[in-house]
Amino acid sequence: MEIVQAIIDRINYIGAAILFVIGLYTVLTHPNLIKKVIGINIMETAVFLLMVSVGYVAGGNAPILGLTKEQTSELYVNPLPTAMILTGIVVAVSITAYSLSLIVKIYEAYGTIEVDEIMELRSEKAVE
Amino acid sequence: MNIVKPSRKEGTKKTFDYFSINCVLIFLVAAVSTLLFVASTLTGSDGNVIGSGSIQTTIGYILKLKPLPLFIIMFPLIGGPLEALIGRKSENLRDSTVVDTTFITFIAILAMYPQVSRGTMNYFIPGVFGHGLSFRVDMLSFIMAATSGVLWLMVTIYAHDYMGIEEHRNRFYLWMSVTYGGVLGTVLAGDMLTMFLFFEIMTFSSYMLVAHNQSKESILAGNNYLYMGIAGGLSLLLGIMLLYAYTGTLNFVPLASQLAELGWRKYLITGLFVLGFGVKAGMLPLHIWLPKAHPVAPTPASALLSGILIKVGAYGMLRVAVSFFVPAANEIVSFGDSLWVVSERLGAIIIWTGVITMAIGVFMALQQSNMKKMLAYHSISQMGYIIMGIGVASYLGYNGAMGFSGSIYHIVNHALFKALLFMVVGLVYLRTKELDMYKLGGMWKKMPFTAFVCVIAILGITGMPGFNGFASKSILHHAIIEAYEYGHPSFKYAEFIFTLVSAGTVCSFIKLFKYVFCGACPEKYKNIDGEKGMMDLAMGGLALMIIAIGQAPNYLLNQFIIPATEGLTFDPAFINEYLVSMDFFNAKDVLGMLWIYLIGIGIFILGTKFDLFHLHLPRWFNIETAFYKPMARGVIMFSNNITKHYEIAIIKSDIIIYTCVLTGIIFLLMKFV
Amino acid sequence: MKRPLNSMQFPLYVLLLLLMGSVIIPLTTEKFNMKAKTVILGTLVLSWGMMLSTFINVLREGPYLYNIGNWGPKIGIQFNIDIFSTSMSLFILSLSILVIIYSLKDIEHEIYFKQISVYYSLVLLLILGMVGITVTNDLFNTYVFMEILAITSCAIISIKRKKENYMASFRYLILNTLGSLSFLFGVALLYMVTGYLNMSEIYIRINQVWELYPTNLLLALGLMLTGLGIKAAVFPLHVWLPDAHSTAPTPSSALLSGLVVKVYIFTAMKLLFRVIGLEIIDTINIPSFITYFAVVGMIMGSVFAIGQRDIKRLLAYSSVAQIGYIFLGVGLATELGLSAGLFHVVSHGFMKSLLFLSAGAIIYKTGKRDIRTFKGIGYQMPLTMILFTVGALGMIGIPGLNGFMSKWYLGFAVLEKGQPIYLIVILLSSFLNAIYYLPIIISAFLTEGEERNIMVLEDIPKTMSIPMVLIASFCIITGFFPQIVMDVVSRAIPTFL
């Protein structure tokens, strides 16, 4: 029972780790470039989840000053990780956008977005 | 611009142009100043024998100038680019400038003598390299510098006419001057780092001389030279770093007591130094570049390579052997002190390497038909003598002065006669375009003066009494005899080989002279041109020096070589007894030489009779095909194969590598939880 | 300590100025003309001047911590303005200025005319990222700058509209993102146990953390080091580098190889020595792991370089080997080792950019990239090849050039640590360098090409040759007087240990 309790207590962290591994697995195994980008996105989500969970304080309020009425306790949730995650999401979005646009260009250039086929095309060219 | 012009047609310029006037003048002035120099060394005056008033003050000022070594090195280093620039305008002017700068450098070298004779000359430029550039001129350095000065002057006079058949002359003179600077820097350096700097400059600039004519063979020979030179340089660097890390000094001071505590590492350091300098010196398993590089280089460059550059390797070895691995004079009690142990073991190895080098060198020389290749193998063989001398100096330690003097003396002598021989061969090649000695003959009619100086050089190299080789060979002979008298009896065999090698040398040069100069002149060479004035001047100068040293062998020994031993850890009593006022022309040595000549002639007769000079050696005997080539090819093949097979694969598996590294690192780190 | 207020804020001004410049360039000028060039160079020279004055200020009055907007270290971003960060920023800016002067002419020939202003906007952002990552004292801020660098450098690579560029850029992007994510994961883990993102603040609490939560710390360290390893192209993680650096426009290859890779090394150094601290990493043996990776990289980078035919790819692989040298210095974790590493950062930056720029000049003039076609090129372009030779000889480690001095210092650092075997590896790697650099020089100067090898004065533009000559003269000057760099570097190192 203790183990289950411990898992439940740390479910966010475990979830983050699992998501990270899933993302990595996706990037690792899929030759499709878009799927690789999706994998990267999953990994990003994992990191954000971890970061946000770090800032969470059990029973804490939203860190907005002046909300005295609904305040149930003296505790506030740490606002800093949330702010950072916002930055992180912006970064993640820009990277996703950029990589998708690159994929479009790659498709135009090679006619495929499977990395295996692209590498084959390249090595054929190298042999020539 | 130099390539656009067609090669200067040989023989078209018979006019006595201003280059010749310049050369003759310089030659005369150099001869006069050398004579004055000799006179001043004998009288012991400060060399301040000419001029009066302001001239005297100027000379006096120059003679006391402290940064003189730096100027000496900078002259050719700055002069080189200047010459190349001038060469774009006028070839004659450039060649004159080359001779002039070389001459000025030579005079500046001589001007160091008063300071050197009073004691070691030190000059330190702080800041450079973080350690400072230090120059230290003692008699040993002075001898080397003066020898290279003489030789360079003669070679530049010679080169003017010879280089007509080569292209890219500006480049040649540029790198020749830079090499000069490198050589002078190496011999005048005061610590290992400075020495290494100039040593590497020398390696690279002389590479440009070797690969000069850009033919396939010269590029190959050059590659050989360059990569071996770099490998040697790196092993030298490793030795320097280890030495500095363990002893904290780079200066040439006795370190035996500090090295004694280092255990096996001291042998590593020793080995690295010997290896590093041995490559340049053409020591046996490392000699393979030499017989390739010397023949393909233009003759002036071959003369310099054989005359000075390989000596720099020997100089480095000598400098290291007599300064680092010996105890300081005040530390030792006697000859058998335990501090000598490194020096002794090092010496024993060097002696045997030297002996093997000389034997194989002369054996290979006998097999050659290409004249320059034969001379190159003789250089290896003669380097064997010098290395053996160094070995004796190091092996006998406190009593090693004989080996030390012998090797220095032989360095000087070999520089003179080997350069002269290369010049002779070069002149023959210039006129006939033929290097195979069996296809030549009767040249003495066409080039009587060349034949005459060739005889002088041959008598020098074979050690005829009355010529310079005799003096150094007898000292070296005494040295090897001492090695088995004071040391291990096995050196008796070394002495035997020594005698045999001398005989082989005699035989080999009889062969050279007979096939090139005697006999009937082949039909196609009936109408070739004769000699050229300036080339004769250069060859004559060297021949004169050979005779002069041969006639008065004690002069060089007493005035320079014995003072050179003073700063080092040698037994003064021993020097006084054996070396000072040494009698060269005693019956025993002269008779020994007679025997050597007889054996040599015997070998020659036997050899021609049984056709021993064209042996086809088995393939495995060639150390190059047996060892170096597979190694070089192996490295290249390995890299190419790896690149071919794995490069794309590695790039493809990018994320797999990331995952593996990540899990690996985390796995390793989790041990510490 | 009283300082004039404005001079204290110079580092921030530098970043803002670069940001502004990067926004202004594509906005103001439709065409890439003199005005745009003035803006670019003006921005850079002004930031260089400010960085120089900051550097002098720091030398004179000591380092300081600069809080942006006066937020405290708990929530604000902090810059650590000390000798290390200012001198390295100065190095980054100086080299960038030279490379950019070179690129003004070269780039017209490499990318479409329309994109030139965008390119410069990206380059200014790249420089912003590098300076930022060097001065910042905040882990999350480091991550942000890392992402700026990642996106800009990928964009710079893909700005050349070629097939290979897209793929190289994509691969670089994916790996870079993986690296950044690992780094951020580590940052989150560290934040979880310390509650701080500020490096100095974490360092104060790190011992306690090490006792209480070793798993977190070790996980964070592993993730962050792997991430930085990807970005700094440590040997087995170097996979993106050859493609990326060889396909990028040449001036940016010089920037990427000479500088961008180095700032990640700075980050790794900060992480190891300023965040975690020498005691902890010594107990978990990280320095020796780093040296193993470094040594393998030194050899394998050279081995791969020997097999290359494309000049820029060869130079890229050579970078992999040289990064090994730097990491060897870092991994020794001694004062001498770190200073040797930093010295090599500077000297490799100059040498490698010199090599890339001269290779670029060859491509500019002749269009040749295959080293087998370089026969007789020394006669066509003597100046360029002489400069290439200077760089190559520096790489081999010929005394008189700065590469020799870095080997010299590194050698003593290794010996001081008592591991002479690494010294042998260093020299072996030098020899391998000789094997792939010298044939290029030999075939350039000593073989006859198809063209008649007439020695002509080359006509590469002055704006291309002058920066190269300046870089080469710096290589030679620091080769003879290494103290110029070494004095500064060795004063910067004690803040790490």
Side-chain angles (χ1 to χ4, degrees):
Chain A
M1 241 11 280
E2 271 177 27
I3 297 168
V4 176
Q5 189 58 43
I7 289 173
I8 290 170
D9 284 348
R10 293 173 180 78
I11 190 72
N12 286 359
Y13 306 132
I14 292 165
I18 290 172
L19 271 180
F20 193 84
V21 173
I22 289 174
L24 189 57
Y25 181 77
T26 318
V27 182
L28 192 64
T29 51
H30 288 272
N32 189 315
L33 296 182
I34 291 182
K35 286 184 184 163
K36 274 185 198 288
V37 174
I38 292 171
I40 293 273
N41 270 310
I42 296 174
M43 287 170 81
E44 274 162 355
T45 317
V47 179
F48 298 155
L49 175 62
L50 178 74
M51 205 81 176
V52 172
S53 332
V54 168
Y56 177 70
V57 178
N61 287 330
I64 305 170
L65 293 176
L67 282 183
T68 36
K69 278 180 195 166
E70 295 164 34
Q71 198 168 347
T72 50
S73 75
E74 288 296 306
L75 290 170
Y76 282 109
V77 170
N78 186 353
L80 193 64
T82 327
M84 286 191 302
I85 288 322
L86 279 177
T87 320
I89 288 171
V90 172
V91 170
V93 165
S94 57
I95 283 183
T96 312
Y98 177 59
S99 50
L100 287 175
S101 70
L102 259 183
I103 290 171
V104 171
K105 287 286 177 189
I106 288 172
Y107 185 72
E108 280 173 10
Y110 290 91
T112 173
I113 52 169
E114 300 286 315
V115 78
D116 295 349
E117 291 170 26
I118 294 171
M119 288 309 282
E120 251 165 51
L121 284 175
R122 247 193 74 182
S123 50
E124 274 166 28
K125 206 180 140 205
V127 168
E128 285 161 21
Chain B
M1 279 306 164
N2 50 357
I3 314 111
V4 190
K5 292 179 192 162
S7 309
R8 203 158 36 190
K9 274 286 274 283
E10 20 166 323
T12 49
K13 285 180 24 168
K14 292 247 171 179
T15 44
F16 200 64
D17 53 13
Y18 66 87
F19 171 78
S20 315
I21 298 168
N22 182 37
C23 272
V24 173
L25 274 178
I26 292 280
F27 186 81
L28 289 178
V29 177
V32 169
S33 43
T34 314
L35 282 178
L36 280 175
F37 172 74
V38 170
S40 74
T41 54
L42 285 175
T43 54
S45 77
D46 263 8
N48 224 342
V49 283
I50 43 164
S52 61
S54 61
I55 299 175
Q56 190 131 23
T57 12
T58 323
I59 292 175
Y61 176 71
I62 291 171
L63 294 181
K64 289 192 183 67
L65 205 59
K66 272 275 158 201
L68 207 53
L70 184 68
F71 289 142
I72 289 170
I73 294 160
M74 289 323 279
F75 256 123
L77 284 183
I78 294 170
L82 212 67
E83 288 150 11
L85 280 181
I86 292 173
R88 288 170 169 244
K89 296 269 171 333
S90 152
E91 301 241 333
N92 253 338
L93 186 61
R94 174 200 63 207
D95 294 357
S96 312
T97 324
V98 173
V99 175
D100 292 350
T101 46
T102 320
F103 171 69
I104 294 169
T105 319
F106 174 56
I107 292 295
I109 292 169
L110 291 188
M112 286 194 301
Y113 180 74
Q115 290 189 62
V116 174
S117 65
R118 276 195 296 273
T120 307
M121 192 174 164
N122 285 308
Y123 181 65
F124 186 70
I125 312 165
V128 186
F129 279 155
H131 292 265
L133 218 54
S134 110
F135 297 101
R136 174 176 175 277
V137 191
D138 57 6
M139 239 354 151
L140 178 54
S141 314
F142 178 76
I143 296 168
M144 290 297 297
T147 314
S148 37
V150 173
L151 206 61
W152 231 277
L153 187 59
M154 294 303 156
V155 168
T156 45
I157 293 176
Y158 176 88
H160 171 71
D161 286 324
Y162 183 85
M163 287 310 286
I165 59 167
E166 300 275 350
E167 288 191 335
H168 307 290
R169 288 180 285 273
N170 286 335
R171 187 177 79 194
F172 179 79
Y173 282 111
L174 165 64
W175 291 112
M176 190 160 122
S177 292
V178 174
T179 312
Y180 192 20
V183 167
L184 289 175
T186 316
V187 297
L188 299 181
D191 62 25
M192 279 315 289
L193 188 57
T194 316
M195 191 169 181
F196 183 69
L197 164 71
F198 288 106
F199 194 76
E200 291 284 281
I201 290 178
M202 191 184 86
T203 306
F204 277 84
S205 52
S206 56
Y207 163 76
M208 293 301 284
L209 300 182
V210 171
H212 178 79
N213 72 24
Q214 303 190 353
S215 65
K216 210 166 178 194
E217 302 91 70
S218 39
I219 296 280
L220 263 177
N223 281 348
N224 239 317
Y225 176 58
L226 188 59
Y227 288 115
M228 293 202 70
I230 289 175
L234 288 176
S235 89
L236 202 58
L237 180 62
L238 188 57
I240 294 171
M241 284 179 145
L242 288 173
L243 190 74
Y244 185 60
Y246 293 132
T247 64
T249 181
L250 287 168
N251 293 327
F252 298 119
V253 289
L255 293 172
S257 50
Q258 272 165 289
L259 285 171
E261 297 151 15
L262 286 180
W264 60 272
R265 290 196 202 90
K266 64 183 173 231
Y267 296 108
L268 179 68
I269 297 174
T270 326
L272 287 167
F273 277 128
V274 171
L275 213 66
F277 287 120
V279 169
K280 250 317 163 302
M283 208 174 72
L284 198 63
L286 311 167
H287 70 287
I288 57 152
W289 61 272
L290 201 151
K292 290 182 164 181
H294 288 201
V296 295
T299 302
S302 323
L304 292 175
L305 279 170
S306 261
I308 283 296
L309 262 81
I310 54 175
K311 309 299 173 6
V312 174
Y315 164 82
M317 220 186 273
L318 188 60
R319 177 61 88 187
V320 165
V322 297
S323 54
F324 288 145
F325 304 110
V326 299
N330 53 3
E331 284 176 336
I332 46 154
V333 196
S334 69
F335 163 59
D337 203 292
S338 66
L339 282 174
W340 286 107
V341 67
V342 184
S343 179
E344 197 181 317
R345 288 183 187 166
L346 172 70
I349 295 167
I350 297 182
I351 291 177
W352 278 112
T353 333
V355 169
I356 295 167
T357 307
M358 67 168 101
I360 304 256
V362 88
F363 176 73
M364 291 304 293
L366 281 171
Q367 306 300 325
Q368 304 303 320
S369 59
N370 181 322
M371 294 186 286
K372 276 177 130 180
K373 217 165 193 165
M374 174 200 138
L375 290 181
Y377 273 111
H378 269 294
S379 290
I380 295 176
S381 160
Q382 300 292 318
M383 283 313 286
Y385 283 85
I386 295 166
I387 292 168
M388 187 203 80
I390 299 167
V392 174
S394 170
Y395 178 69
L396 290 182
Y398 205 39
N399 290 348
M402 191 67 95
F404 177 79
S405 334
S407 49
I408 301 178
Y409 212 150
H410 205 61
I411 285 175
V412 176
N413 290 339
H414 181 243
L416 297 175
F417 50 63
K418 189 48 66 68
L420 180 51
L421 281 167
F422 264 111
M423 285 179 177
V424 167
V425 167
L427 185 53
V428 172
Y429 174 71
L430 181 68
R431 290 303 180 219
T432 62
K433 299 281 180 296
E434 185 56 75
L435 276 174
D436 190 338
M437 64 173 98
Y438 297 113
K439 291 183 182 156
L440 291 165
M443 285 296 145
W444 69 273
K445 276 182 219 145
K446 295 283 172 197
M447 314 172 184
F449 185 75
T450 314
F452 174 65
V453 292
C454 184
V455 171
I456 293 174
I458 287 174
L459 293 177
I461 196 171
T462 49
M464 175 63 87
F467 294 87
N468 62 354
F470 175 66
S472 47
K473 282 200 181 174
S474 345
I475 301 181
L476 284 169
H477 194 228
H478 286 251
I480 191 71
I481 290 172
E482 268 170 25
Y484 74 75
E485 278 177 358
Y486 289 92
H488 199 264
S490 70
F491 291 115
K492 183 105 187 151
Y493 303 110
E495 195 243 330
F496 175 69
I497 296 175
F498 183 95
T499 315
L500 211 59
V501 168
S502 300
T505 313
V506 172
C507 163
S508 165
F509 279 99
I510 292 174
K511 196 177 116 192
L512 176 75
F513 192 79
K514 174 178 179 292
Y515 286 115
V516 176
F517 288 103
C518 302
C521 184
E523 197 57 40
K524 62 174 173 178
Y525 301 133
K526 286 286 190 220
N527 296 320
I528 54 169
D529 289 324
E531 294 140 335
K532 271 201 157 179
M534 288 310 110
M535 294 171 113
D536 284 353
L537 192 67
M539 295 194 292
L542 287 177
L544 270 179
M545 299 208 58
I546 291 174
I547 298 174
I549 293 176
Q551 292 303 317
N554 286 83
Y555 167 72
L556 210 58
L557 189 65
N558 289 338
Q559 298 303 322
F560 299 101
I561 295 172
I562 291 176
T565 60
E566 271 164 16
L568 307 165
T569 317
F570 286 122
D571 187 359
F574 178 87
I575 294 169
N576 270 330
E577 194 180 340
Y578 293 103
L579 276 170
V580 177
S581 68
M582 181 165 173
D583 181 18
F584 282 100
F585 300 107
N586 59 18
K588 194 164 163 258
D589 284 351
V590 174
L591 274 180
M593 270 304 152
L594 195 65
W595 271 113
I596 286 173
Y597 270 84
L598 285 178
I599 300 171
I601 293 166
I603 297 175
F604 178 69
I605 293 168
L606 282 177
T608 38
K609 204 165 181 184
F610 297 106
D611 204 21
L612 287 180
F613 300 141
H614 301 281
L615 297 178
H616 288 285
L617 299 171
R619 239 180 107 72
W620 55 263
F621 189 73
N622 188 336
I623 185 150
E624 193 192 345
T625 46
F627 177 63
Y628 289 105
K629 265 193 186 160
M631 205 168 73
R633 211 177 292 145
V635 172
I636 303 283
M637 287 268 282
F638 175 72
S639 317
N640 283 343
N641 277 339
I642 283 208
T643 311
K644 211 163 136 197
H645 297 300
Y646 298 108
E647 192 190 2
I648 298 289
I650 286 179
I651 290 177
K652 256 187 201 168
S653 53
D654 44 2
I655 296 161
I656 300 175
I657 293 174
Y658 164 77
T659 319
C660 293
V661 171
L662 185 64
T663 38
I665 285 182
I666 288 176
F667 181 75
L668 280 175
L669 285 178
M670 280 308 141
K671 279 195 310 189
F672 296 100
V673 173
Chain C
M1 260 182 286
K2 201 158 185 286
R3 284 196 190 78
L5 186 72
N6 48 359
S7 103
M8 274 184 72
Q9 289 177 336
F10 273 177
L12 184 64
Y13 288 172
V14 169
L15 296 182
L16 291 178
L17 197 64
L18 289 168
L19 192 61
M20 228 158 66
S22 73
V23 175
I24 287 171
I25 293 163
L27 280 186
T28 52
T29 49
E30 287 268 303
K31 278 178 283 178
F32 186 69
N33 51 15
M34 216 44 216
K35 220 194 273 172
K37 289 181 188 173
T38 324
V39 171
I40 296 161
L41 285 179
T43 316
L44 277 168
V45 170
L46 202 59
S47 7
W48 186 80
M50 285 203 274
M51 206 32 107
L52 183 67
S53 78
T54 320
F55 176 56
I56 292 167
N57 198 359
V58 167
L59 276 185
R60 225 183 264 152
E61 304 191 24
Y64 60 94
L65 295 169
Y66 174 74
N67 293 320
I68 293 178
N70 268 336
W71 296 93
K74 174 107 184 164
I75 46 174
I77 294 170
Q78 197 176 47
F79 286 170
N80 188 351
I81 309 298
D82 60 359
I83 297 176
F84 166 75
S85 59
T86 47
S87 61
M88 286 303 137
S89 308
L90 200 61
F91 155 66
I92 289 167
L93 285 169
S94 324
L95 195 51
S96 310
I97 290 176
L98 291 173
V99 173
I100 281 175
I101 293 173
Y102 170 97
S103 74
L104 287 176
K105 195 79 197 167
D106 180 74
I107 203 71
E108 290 173 6
H109 157 101
E110 298 236 16
I111 60 180
Y112 289 121
F113 189 72
K114 267 190 194 165
Q115 262 137 3
I116 292 178
S117 48
V118 180
Y119 171 78
Y120 279 105
S121 162
L122 287 171
V123 167
L124 286 185
L125 272 178
L126 187 80
I127 298 166
L128 158 87
M130 290 193 283
V131 175
I133 214 169
T134 316
V135 294
T136 189
N137 199 27
D138 185 281
L139 282 175
F140 191 76
N141 197 228
T142 309
Y143 165 75
V144 173
F145 281 125
M146 262 156 81
E147 289 291 13
I148 291 177
L149 275 178
I151 295 182
T152 46
S153 43
C154 289
I156 284 174
I157 292 162
S158 67
I159 206 164
K160 252 173 111 176
R161 297 286 158 94
K162 291 226 174 97
K163 270 182 173 182
E164 308 89 61
N165 289 58
Y166 295 138
M167 204 51 218
S169 177
F170 187 80
R171 190 181 301 283
Y172 187 23
L173 188 71
I174 291 283
L175 280 170
N176 244 326
T177 317
L178 279 180
S180 314
L181 279 177
S182 320
F183 187 81
L184 189 62
F185 208 115
V187 172
L189 287 170
L190 273 183
Y191 183 71
M192 197 167 130
V193 288
T194 57
Y196 277 94
L197 288 168
N198 187 297
M199 296 185 189
S200 332
E201 298 290 332
I202 295 177
Y203 183 65
I204 296 169
R205 288 160 183 80
I206 199 76
N207 275 323
Q208 212 182 342
V209 171
W210 176 233
E211 280 162 23
L212 294 175
Y213 309 102
T215 324
N216 264 41
L217 187 65
L218 289 172
L219 262 179
L221 207 51
L223 282 162
M224 287 162 104
L225 282 181
T226 320
L228 289 171
I230 286 186
K231 284 158 171 283
V234 182
F235 172 65
L237 301 168
H238 71 284
V239 283
W240 55 271
L241 188 139
D243 280 341
H245 287 192
S246 64
T247 52
T250 315
S252 28
S253 307
L255 284 181
L256 291 175
S257 224
L259 296 175
V260 175
V261 171
K262 311 293 163 51
V263 297
Y264 296 119
I265 298 175
F266 298 159
T267 316
M269 279 166 69
K270 280 185 187 175
L271 173 68
L272 287 174
F273 300 109
R274 282 190 181 165
V275 178
I276 312 292
L278 189 59
E279 285 169 35
I280 293 174
I281 60 168
D282 253 351
T283 47
I284 55 181
N285 229 353
I286 292 237
S288 42
F289 287 142
I290 292 179
T291 48
Y292 302 148
F293 277 105
V295 166
V296 175
M298 276 156 72
I299 297 297
M300 289 314 288
S302 300
V303 165
F304 276 113
I306 292 172
Q308 299 305 318
R309 296 289 169 261
D310 181 308
I311 177 83
K312 281 177 79 179
R313 248 184 124 73
L314 184 146
L315 294 177
Y317 270 112
S318 159
S319 286
V320 175
Q322 301 295 320
I323 287 157
Y325 282 78
I326 299 168
F327 268 105
L328 178 60
V330 173
L332 293 176
T334 56
E335 203 160 311
L336 261 179
L338 280 176
S339 0
L342 270 192
F343 186 88
H344 197 59
V345 164
V346 176
S347 46
H348 177 244
F350 277 93
M351 286 188 293
K352 191 44 67 67
S353 45
L354 178 60
L355 285 169
F356 264 119
L357 295 187
S358 39
I362 292 167
I363 297 168
Y364 177 83
K365 183 81 191 302
T366 64
K368 289 174 180 169
R369 290 180 68 120
D370 191 324
I371 54 171
R372 286 168 297 188
T373 60
F374 276 19
K375 283 181 182 146
I377 214 160
Y379 295 101
Q380 278 177 290
M381 336 182 55
L383 180 67
T384 311
M385 274 320 287
I386 286 168
L387 296 173
F388 184 89
T389 310
V390 169
L393 292 186
M395 285 286 175
I396 299 166
I398 299 307
L401 292 164
N402 50 2
F404 172 72
M405 288 324 293
S406 19
K407 265 164 213 173
W408 180 255
Y409 289 129
L410 200 55
F412 286 120
V414 164
L415 286 177
E416 185 209 42
K417 191 86 176 174
Q419 282 160 323
I421 190 81
Y422 289 155
L423 183 55
I424 293 169
V425 175
I426 293 174
L427 296 180
L428 191 68
S429 165
S430 305
F431 190 71
L432 292 177
N433 283 352
I435 289 180
Y436 59 85
Y437 277 121
L438 288 178
I440 303 174
I441 301 168
I442 291 171
S443 72
F445 280 114
L446 289 174
T447 51
E448 314 236 333
E450 289 136 28
E451 297 89 6
R452 178 95 181 94
N453 50 6
I454 297 167
M455 189 78 99
V456 282
L457 277 182
E458 60 198 307
D459 51 351
I460 62 165
K462 284 252 159 37
T463 49
M464 284 168 80
S465 58
I466 288 172
M468 292 202 285
V469 170
L470 284 177
I471 296 175
S473 46
F474 182 84
C475 287
I476 294 170
I477 290 168
T478 46
F480 277 105
F481 301 99
Q483 308 91 305
I484 299 171
V485 178
M486 201 58 188
D487 282 353
V488 175
V489 158
S490 53
R491 280 178 70 180
I493 287 307
T495 55
F496 282 98
L497 298 172

